[in-house]
Amino acid sequence: MLEDKNKERTSLETLGEFGLIEHLTQHFTTKQPTTIKGIGDDAAVLDFKKKKTVLSTDLLVEGVHFDLSYMPLKHLGYKAVMVNLSDIYAMNAMATQITVSIAVSNRFPLEALEELYAGIQLACTTYGVDMIGGDTTSSKTGMLISVTALGEASEENLAYRSGAKENDLLVVTGDLGGAYMGLQVLEREKEVFKVNPNNQPDLEPYAYIVERQLKPEARKDIVELLAKLKVKPTSMIDISDGLSSEILHLCKNSEVGCALYENKIPLDPTVISTCEEFKMDGTMIALSGGEDYELLFTIDQADFPKIKGNPNLTVIGHMTDKSQGANLVTRAETLIPLKAQGWNSFQTE
Ligand SMILES: [Mg+2]
């Protein structure tokens, strides 16, 4: 993809570091009232007044977190921002600003970085977030991207992992397992392409799950929806590593147990059919797949009528006494203790 001979290739050395930052960020504008000074001085200046400031940061490494053989750079830029905004929304806060730092080797021409920043800019515009700074530097081998996201919330609205109580309902947004199954399809097509480069893959039947992998959306809409419904989650987390490990985080931090019902886990029909094709189990994929960037939260039972029937929200279980542990209640009504089998970038192949 990077070797496309029809495309112009401007070497990064022609711009120099300051010229590069200026060039890549020239079309970014700031809109947030909390941004006093964005790019263009030694540091950005922000003013959150009486609101609490929420901050989260992530580092993405080529070959570990992304594979440029099937990840277009524009999508990568978009996804790098989404991953961070998701963590801000998981605090029941609104994202307001980001900084982006990258390290790239000279195998990337300027045009490739323009693509990356086009994706970052699209994410900023779509989610109403200001880009207020960052850095670029050279790397000996691949690409590294670090995004820091800031957000704001009033103190009473913040949702921590630690607030779930016994009998609270466990709720998840959207559907699960799509990003992981999309990755399986992309990996398979990559292998086919290695054997026969003329074989054009037909990804159309997998469009939904491939998009879930390549262009995930953070759930800003859910934070807005909960405010509108006047539902304050008692605890909340985003699903980056799989449902199982996120539930265990809530249980550990809140000192409660959980009963998760297998038959309630929301799966898209494409996930179900692709799991059948790959001879994988849909429940296992939802539990350990990861990268879905949905929100998982608990609510007081008294709030159930407010969320009942909402197509964005599914009640998948309830919190129990800590002594009962965190369990999956299978379709056969047997209890299986949940394990953190979430994806781990430190695991050995
Ligand atoms: Mg998170």
Side-chain angles (χ1 to χ4, degrees):
M1 178 190 56
L2 290 169
E3 315 306 329
D4 189 345
K5 299 216 167 42
N6 299 319
K7 279 201 183 144
E8 227 179 304
R9 289 177 63 89
T10 311
S11 140
L12 292 180
E13 287 111 70
T14 57
L15 280 124
E17 190 196 333
F18 298 112
L20 180 59
I21 294 173
E22 212 173 295
H23 179 86
L24 292 173
T25 57
Q26 60 185 325
H27 302 298
F28 285 76
T29 53
T30 62
K31 290 192 188 72
Q32 286 285 342
T34 47
T35 308
I36 308 299
K37 179 76 194 176
I39 297 164
D41 211 309
D42 296 279
V45 180
L46 307 173
D47 184 359
F48 286 94
K49 301 202 165 65
K50 286 179 179 160
K51 293 277 184 77
K52 292 284 176 250
T53 312
V54 181
L55 185 144
S56 175
T57 193
D58 251 303
L59 178 62
L60 302 177
V61 179
E62 184 180 354
V64 179
H65 303 102
F66 58 90
D67 183 336
L68 289 174
S69 60
Y70 49 70
M71 185 68 153
L73 281 158
K74 189 172 176 182
H75 286 68
L76 177 63
Y78 192 89
K79 184 170 176 175
V81 178
M82 284 311 121
V83 170
N84 279 268
L85 298 191
S86 180
D87 279 321
I88 302 294
Y89 300 134
M91 299 302 292
N92 204 30
M94 271 296 150
T96 47
Q97 289 91 7
I98 57 162
T99 67
V100 178
S101 297
I102 58 167
V104 279
S105 69
N106 55 14
R107 88 171 207 266
F108 294 93
L110 176 65
E111 288 73 16
L113 297 190
E114 284 174 347
E115 276 296 297
L116 181 76
Y117 274 72
I120 293 168
Q121 192 177 3
L122 179 63
C124 286
T125 329
T126 309
Y127 284 77
V129 170
D130 292 347
M131 158 89 116
I132 55 160
D135 198 9
T136 62
T137 187
S138 57
S139 128
K140 286 271 188 300
T141 51
M143 179 185 277
L144 283 93
I145 308 173
S146 175
V147 179
T148 297
L150 288 116
E152 61 179 7
S154 58
E155 189 165 12
E156 65 271 19
N157 280 340
L158 283 172
Y160 295 93
R161 295 178 179 181
S162 54
K165 307 178 305 301
E166 190 180 346
N167 296 325
D168 279 357
L169 299 176
L170 182 67
V171 184
V172 73
T173 65
D175 53 73
L176 300 174
Y180 184 82
M181 291 318 293
L183 182 64
Q184 300 312 302
V185 170
L186 289 166
E187 295 274 8
R188 181 180 67 185
E189 296 312 323
K190 182 182 168 183
E191 293 309 310
V192 172
F193 185 80
K194 273 186 197 165
V195 178
N196 182 5
N198 296 320
N199 195 341
Q200 280 297 322
D202 178 19
L203 293 178
E204 188 51 39
Y206 309 102
Y208 176 70
I209 56 174
V210 166
E211 178 146 334
R212 294 284 285 169
Q213 170 58 224
L214 296 182
K215 192 173 178 285
E217 302 289 348
R219 300 308 304 258
K220 178 189 184 184
D221 60 327
I222 298 298
V223 178
E224 291 166 340
L225 175 71
L226 292 174
K228 205 178 91 190
L229 298 174
K230 297 194 167 38
V231 173
K232 157 80 199 288
T234 52
S235 69
M236 185 146 70
I237 191 167
D238 72 324
I239 303 185
S240 47
D241 294 339
L243 184 59
S244 191
S245 87
E246 314 302 359
I247 288 177
L248 290 171
H249 281 304
L250 291 184
C251 287
K252 183 166 179 261
N253 285 275
S254 298
E255 296 186 52
V256 289
C258 177
L260 164 70
Y261 292 86
E262 181 181 21
N263 62 356
K264 304 284 186 204
I265 298 173
L267 301 174
D268 186 84
T270 317
V271 171
I272 296 170
S273 59
T274 313
C275 279
E276 277 167 12
E277 191 185 329
F278 280 77
K279 301 200 169 32
M280 288 175 172
D281 179 64
T283 302
M284 278 309 297
I285 299 308
L287 288 176
S288 345
E291 291 202 286
D292 286 314
Y293 300 106
E294 296 293 341
L295 293 174
L296 177 73
F297 57 92
T298 53
I299 61 167
D300 193 286
Q301 288 215 10
D303 282 334
F304 177 64
K306 300 180 194 168
I307 67 149
K308 196 182 168 191
N310 191 297
N312 289 294
L313 308 173
T314 311
V315 177
I316 53 174
H318 62 268
M319 308 321 265
T320 61
D321 184 82
K322 189 184 177 184
S323 63
Q324 296 182 39
N327 296 291
L328 175 73
V329 183
T330 67
R331 288 192 182 86
E333 299 200 353
T334 51
L335 293 188
I336 301 176
L338 289 173
K339 288 199 193 89
Q341 290 152 320
W343 178 82
N344 179 353
S345 60
F346 292 104
Q347 78 193 9
T348 44
E349 294 289 300

